Amino acid sequence: MSTAIERFDDKARDAFDRMGQNEVYEGELLRHRVYTRFLHWMVALFFFLALFTGFGIYMPWLFRWFTPIFGGGPLARAMHPWFGLGFVVFFALQMLNWIQPMTWTAADTKWIRNLRSTVSGKEKQDPPDTGFFNGGQKAQFWEIVGGSVVFLITGIILWKGARTFGCWPVAISYILHDISAVIMLGGIFIHIYLSTIGEPGTFQAMIRGAVSEAWAWTFHPAWYKEVTGRDPVQACEEARKRGQIAKQ
Amino acid sequence: MSDRKTLQIKQISGHSGPSPGFDMQRDAEVCKLIDTTICIGCKACEVACVEWNDMPFSPTTFDNTYQTMPATRWNFWNLIKFNEHQREDGTIQWLMRKDQCMHCADPGCLRACPADGAIVQYTNGIVDFQQENCIGCEYCVSGCPYDIPKFNPATKKVYKCTLCSDRVGGGLEPACIKACPTGCLKFGTKDDMKYIAEERAKQLRENFGFEKAGVYDPQSIGGTHVVYVLHDAENPERYGGLPRNPVIPWSYTVWKWLFKPVLGTFALFGLVGVLFHYVTVGPRLPQPQPPLKDSTPREKEI
Ligand code: HEM
Ligand code: SF4
Ligand code: SF4
């Protein structure tokens, strides 16, 4: 089973690499291939489409000025489930694509425990055992996996409505659907912040697919070591001695 | 239309703040009385409803009963439900009930609706859908204990009986009342209709041997502005599925007036939080970052 998934993923990755390209310059490492980037932006696109049409249903009085972008309240309502479905489908593919690097390890638990000093900016570099994804990224990933399952189940109940499922399942589904949306939205704010201005140099990982070596040894030391074979702390020290300031 | 008797709004769906004009003047609560013991199933009210509300023709559905169609539709708000009930002695009792919106005092549809102004309740008790504000989410369907709001896929909005608010606002009775040939339908103030209904139920109990005769005005939703006289008030389900104790899922109130604002604020904290982080702690830069200047109040780092 898992091998079938791997074969599918490999085929998809290769196919997308033939369509697009991964530009890696001197002093950079390849982080996300075309397939991953494509999926990520499809997920983000459908997430925001579903989010904004969802706002119109969540509090129409607040978003009365907003839904006309989607052709008015009723049309926004009619399109919302399809956007949601698009999100779930693309994220499901992304999940298959990422399930291996997203596997939870002891280092991640440690990373989460250490969250406070990371957030307060005291720690300039991530702990040396931080791999391809850190604990926070994995937590967000699995939150979205769980959230998508809740979205899908409650969404179908809301879509087909009380006449198919009865009043109570629908009434409860609203609440769960909303909670799931709000948790995910809160997480996305943090996600967008960190991947753009919060940790400069990250954004290009999802655009060109490549990151600077300095970015890699700073935020994902274990991954840096894995792909280059060099020691991240030492590499950083050497760069400092050369008086080189990290490219972003 | 008389000038004073325009409809006064009591409640508005999804609306924050008071309803404009509420309590400006007191209106008598109106009520439709349906005496199922007199109904002959002639369907005159069905026709009158379709005609007054200018509804497009829709084909009927024959399902081996006398009913025009199995359930009300977005363009068919008034349906006589026919039921053959077998008594214990084997004889048949033919029950007919006019099914339409009950204009509940505590309307589940309005409670569930998220759209500002898509459903309003007037002080006279009429619950009316304002289609221009409806977004077609069909939440009202799940809030209604009587399965009344119906979705029109063409307009993507929901429709139901208005208790002829347009006629009542002008001082007329609803169209179905005007059409009824037997006096089974009556219209007036809630107090008057309740009185007549109770009198009739008493008459049925005392003079006609219907010991369980009574009035259907369920208190679990604060009563309705359509009340029935039933031969057997203990088994309202017999009359085409009239719920004995209609309930509105409590989650609606919690969800709309507590969860939504709280959760919305919660999500907003994410945004505020990251902005706050950026201006206080600042970004984490790839190392080595440029050395800090001596003059900064912070300890010289590295
Ligand atoms: C404009 C909005 C967004 C930007 C700028 C953005 C940017 C990025 C970047 C740069 C990465 C790579 C991080 C790395 O390589 O370490 C990433 C990863 C990821 N993105 Fe986004 N993203 C956005 C929206 C979204 C949305 C809406 C979702 C899903 C609902 C999402 C889900 C993910 C996940 C699960 C990952 C992998 C784990 C992680 O890095 O947290 N992203 N994103
Ligand atoms: S019967 Fe249904 S549609 Fe009519 S007022 Fe009550 S809850 Fe609303
Ligand atoms: S479908 Fe019903 S709940 Fe939804 S906006 Fe229209 S009236 Fe309100």
Side-chain angles (χ1 to χ4, degrees):
Chain A
M1 184 65 192
S2 80
T3 51
I5 292 170
E6 274 160 31
R7 256 182 284 133
F8 167 79
D9 280 336
D10 277 334
K11 244 191 230 161
R13 286 175 197 138
D14 291 341
F16 273 81
D17 277 349
R18 260 176 267 127
M19 280 185 270
Q21 55 184 357
N22 303 304
E23 282 181 350
V24 185
Y25 300 120
E26 189 65 33
E28 286 188 336
L29 299 174
L30 176 62
R31 186 155 169 87
H32 298 301
R33 290 168 68 179
V34 181
Y35 180 57
T36 309
R37 274 140 52 201
F38 168 77
L39 286 183
H40 177 271
W41 291 115
M42 290 313 275
V43 167
L45 176 70
F46 277 100
F47 177 85
F48 284 112
L49 287 174
L51 181 73
F52 290 141
T53 49
F55 275 156
I57 311 167
Y58 191 67
M59 282 186 178
W61 60 269
L62 193 55
F63 297 98
R64 178 165 287 173
W65 51 272
F66 199 87
T67 42
I69 296 170
F70 294 95
L75 205 56
R77 163 63 183 80
M79 290 191 296
H80 177 80
W82 295 102
F83 291 148
L85 211 58
F87 167 77
V88 169
V89 167
F90 282 112
F91 191 76
L93 290 173
Q94 185 70 293
M95 193 186 102
L96 297 182
N97 182 31
W98 266 344
I99 197 135
Q100 195 265 327
M102 285 295 182
T103 317
W104 197 265
T105 64
D108 300 319
T109 314
K110 234 176 70 198
W111 194 94
I112 295 284
R113 289 232 177 88
N114 202 29
L115 192 62
R116 189 172 298 223
S117 66
T118 311
V119 171
S120 64
K122 285 200 193 80
E123 234 142 275
K124 294 287 168 201
Q125 248 159 304
D126 271 65
D129 54 1
T130 307
F132 191 84
F133 288 119
N134 64 40
Q137 290 178 303
K138 289 183 189 178
Q140 199 225 0
F141 172 83
W142 289 110
E143 192 284 312
I144 299 173
V145 172
S148 302
V149 173
V150 174
F151 270 152
L152 190 63
I153 295 170
T154 59
I156 287 171
I157 293 174
L158 293 175
W159 199 359
K160 292 291 141 211
R163 227 154 255 134
T164 314
F165 290 97
C167 291
W168 274 99
V170 171
I172 300 211
S173 292
Y174 295 149
I175 298 182
L176 296 180
H177 205 81
D178 283 10
I179 292 176
S180 182
V182 168
I183 294 177
M184 219 179 269
L185 180 61
I188 292 302
F189 284 137
I190 299 170
H191 174 72
I192 295 174
Y193 169 64
L194 287 178
S195 49
T196 53
I197 57 174
E199 288 178 354
T202 310
F203 190 51
Q204 65 186 58
M206 269 302 161
I207 300 295
R208 279 194 296 119
V211 289
S212 70
E213 288 196 17
W215 183 90
W217 70 54
T218 306
F219 299 118
H220 301 278
W223 172 62
Y224 175 81
K225 189 168 185 179
E226 192 189 311
V227 286
T228 62
R230 270 173 281 154
D231 182 64
V233 181
Q234 217 177 321
C236 182
E237 263 330 295
E238 280 164 18
R240 181 168 294 134
K241 281 198 199 113
R242 285 199 303 274
Q244 174 190 342
I245 288 161
K247 268 190 297 180
Q248 287 170 14
Chain B
M1 197 197 278
S2 72
D3 55 347
R4 203 196 69 81
K5 288 241 33 98
T6 45
L7 296 168
Q8 279 292 313
I9 292 168
K10 182 180 173 197
Q11 275 194 79
I12 304 177
S13 63
H15 190 73
S16 54
S19 308
F22 179 57
D23 248 6
M24 295 281 282
Q25 64 189 44
R26 248 161 259 278
D27 251 336
E29 282 187 37
V30 297
C31 182
K32 182 197 291 186
L33 167 58
I34 302 170
D35 187 346
T36 59
T37 63
I38 305 180
C39 179
I40 54 169
C42 70
K43 303 179 182 177
C45 53
E46 289 185 1
V47 178
C49 177
V50 170
E51 245 181 34
W52 172 259
N53 294 296
D54 204 14
M55 243 109 56
F57 170 78
S58 81
T60 56
T61 310
F62 181 63
D63 62 351
N64 276 319
T65 70
Y66 281 82
Q67 239 166 269
T68 308
M69 51 186 72
T72 56
R73 291 184 188 151
W74 72 266
N75 59 354
F76 203 89
W77 302 337
N78 177 351
L79 178 73
I80 304 290
K81 292 212 165 173
F82 290 78
N83 253 287
E84 283 169 36
H85 168 63
Q86 193 165 13
R87 293 198 191 86
E88 266 150 39
D89 60 8
T91 55
I92 295 286
Q93 190 182 17
W94 207 13
L95 304 175
M96 291 146 216
R97 178 177 68 89
K98 178 178 174 310
D99 184 36
Q100 80 280 280
C101 173
M102 300 292 285
H103 299 274
C104 315
D106 185 2
C109 56
L110 191 147
R111 278 228 213 155
C113 176
D116 188 358
I119 306 178
V120 298
Q121 183 181 36
Y122 299 112
T123 47
N124 68 6
I126 294 180
V127 178
D128 215 356
F129 283 22
Q130 309 291 314
Q131 274 79 19
E132 69 266 31
N133 295 328
C134 171
I135 59 169
C137 62
E138 294 188 75
Y139 288 3
C140 50
V141 177
S142 72
C144 173
Y146 297 95
D147 191 23
I148 290 302
K150 295 284 153 69
F151 185 69
N152 175 3
T155 60
K156 298 200 168 44
K157 287 161 193 277
V158 163
Y159 300 81
K160 73 161 186 70
C161 155
T162 64
L163 202 67
C164 287
S165 54
D166 45 354
R167 291 174 60 90
V168 173
L172 298 170
E173 76 279 60
C176 53
I177 311 285
K178 195 169 169 82
C180 181
T182 63
C184 144
L185 300 182
K186 294 182 180 59
F187 185 74
T189 65
K190 175 94 191 232
D191 292 341
D192 288 354
M193 293 305 111
K194 255 322 253 299
Y195 178 77
I196 297 174
E198 292 294 354
E199 284 297 297
R200 170 66 181 159
K202 201 167 127 217
Q203 190 182 36
L204 286 165
R205 282 192 300 268
E206 289 170 4
N207 303 348
F208 294 92
F210 290 105
E211 287 131 33
K212 297 187 206 154
V215 180
Y216 183 83
D217 181 27
Q219 292 310 305
S220 54
I221 47 173
T224 49
H225 292 93
V226 171
V227 301
Y228 292 105
V229 174
L230 304 176
H231 324 74
D232 182 355
E234 283 167 27
N235 292 296
E237 292 88 353
R238 254 173 225 169
Y239 296 79
L242 209 50
R244 190 187 309 241
N245 262 316
V247 284
I248 309 164
W250 52 263
S251 57
Y252 283 122
T253 320
V254 180
W255 168 71
K256 250 169 81 177
W257 300 117
L258 185 72
F259 272 86
K260 275 192 174 186
V262 168
L263 290 181
T265 317
F266 179 74
L268 222 54
F269 273 141
L271 189 59
V272 175
V274 295
L275 285 175
F276 194 68
H277 184 268
Y278 191 65
V279 296
T280 55
V281 177
R284 296 175 73 218
L285 302 174
Q287 303 296 318
Q289 67 188 45
L292 295 168
K293 260 170 93 180
D294 283 345
S295 57
T296 49
R298 260 203 252 173
E299 203 182 309
K300 194 183 166 196
E301 287 173 275
I302 312 153

